Amino acid sequence: MFRRRIQMPTDDSPVPVADPKPHATPGKGRPTPKRSESQGRRRMPMTAPSNRKEAYRLQRDRDKTARLREREGRLRGEERYLQPRDRGPVRKFARDWVDSRRVPWAYALPAILALLILTVIPFPTEIRAFFFYIYNYSVPVMVLLLPLSYFMALRVKKAAAEKFPGENLKGIGFYAAMRALQMRPLRYPKPTVRPGGAPVPPKV
């Protein structure tokens, strides 16, 4: 009638209790930013034009900035901004060759033009006669100076052939002669060397 109760052996060993405060990894010292915040910092702030007039104004401003940057680059002689006729080490050599020398006939043509203007100004007769006298003799002098440009072109071409053997020297003499006929302040690209060969110091 009475069943014998089977007593199961009990384990009295202590049960490990989970640590309610797990060991945390060392932090970065700052809170982790949200994804939207990090993406917002990576994006460049851009303001879209509100209308067509504003878009045209922004485009004009960008074009003006680009033109000014290109003009300054051409004046400094930067290769990527130069016109095709001014590019290349041979053309750079020709410009420096001419700019490193004093060319008196570069001022002959502007002087003749100034004298011609003075002859048409209603000065007193004696003064106008004096200007006419100088003008009449300056024109033959200018004609005599023109062959000097030809000899300079030959010298530049010879020097370029020695420095750049195998390079195309077509038109290099004429290029140098035309530069020599220009006044130094009006030369383009701007001279990078002074008369004598010293480099022009950069503007501060």
Side-chain angles (χ1 to χ4, degrees):
M1 294 178 61
F2 300 99
R3 294 181 181 179
R4 180 181 299 179
R5 294 182 181 180
I6 302 175
Q7 295 181 356
M8 299 297 296
T10 58
D11 188 4
D12 296 333
S13 60
V15 178
V17 180
D19 190 359
K21 297 181 179 181
H23 297 285
T25 57
K28 294 179 292 185
R30 56 182 174 82
T32 303
K34 296 181 180 179
R35 182 177 181 181
S36 59
E37 295 177 356
S38 60
Q39 290 179 350
R41 284 197 295 264
R42 287 196 299 265
R43 294 174 182 172
M44 295 296 293
M46 295 182 62
T47 304
S50 57
N51 49 48
R52 182 176 297 180
K53 183 178 180 180
E54 181 69 15
Y56 286 156
R57 187 186 65 81
L58 294 176
Q59 184 63 37
R60 286 196 303 268
D61 293 342
R62 286 193 292 266
D63 294 342
K64 182 179 179 180
T65 303
R67 287 194 300 269
L68 290 176
R69 183 170 59 252
E70 293 177 1
R71 181 177 180 276
E72 293 175 356
R74 287 194 297 268
L75 292 177
R76 290 192 300 267
E78 296 184 15
E79 189 75 12
R80 59 176 177 171
Y81 295 119
L82 294 179
Q83 298 180 3
R85 65 182 180 88
D86 298 318
R87 294 175 183 172
V90 179
R91 298 299 173 106
K92 177 66 165 58
F93 172 79
R95 292 196 299 269
D96 292 344
W97 196 98
V98 174
D99 296 337
S100 63
R101 288 160 174 80
R102 299 186 185 277
V103 186
W105 59 89
Y107 299 90
L109 188 60
I112 292 176
L113 181 60
L115 288 172
L116 182 61
I117 294 175
L118 290 174
T119 56
V120 299
I121 297 177
F123 287 118
T125 306
E126 295 80 4
I127 298 178
R128 294 186 63 187
F130 175 73
F131 289 143
F132 267 113
Y133 178 80
I134 298 178
Y135 175 77
N136 291 334
Y137 281 94
S138 62
V139 174
V141 172
M142 179 64 182
V143 174
L144 293 175
L145 289 176
L146 288 178
L148 296 178
S149 298
Y150 173 76
F151 290 116
M152 171 176 279
L154 294 179
R155 292 180 61 189
V156 171
K157 191 171 184 178
K158 181 180 179 181
E162 294 176 355
K163 187 174 180 63
F164 303 97
E167 291 287 339
N168 183 13
L169 304 180
K170 183 179 179 180
I172 191 64
F174 181 78
Y175 179 78
M178 290 297 99
R179 187 173 180 86
L181 290 176
Q182 298 175 350
M183 296 177 61
R184 186 179 179 86
L186 301 179
R187 291 174 184 172
Y188 170 85
K190 292 292 185 182
T192 57
V193 294
R194 291 178 173 179
V200 175
K203 295 182 179 180
V204 181

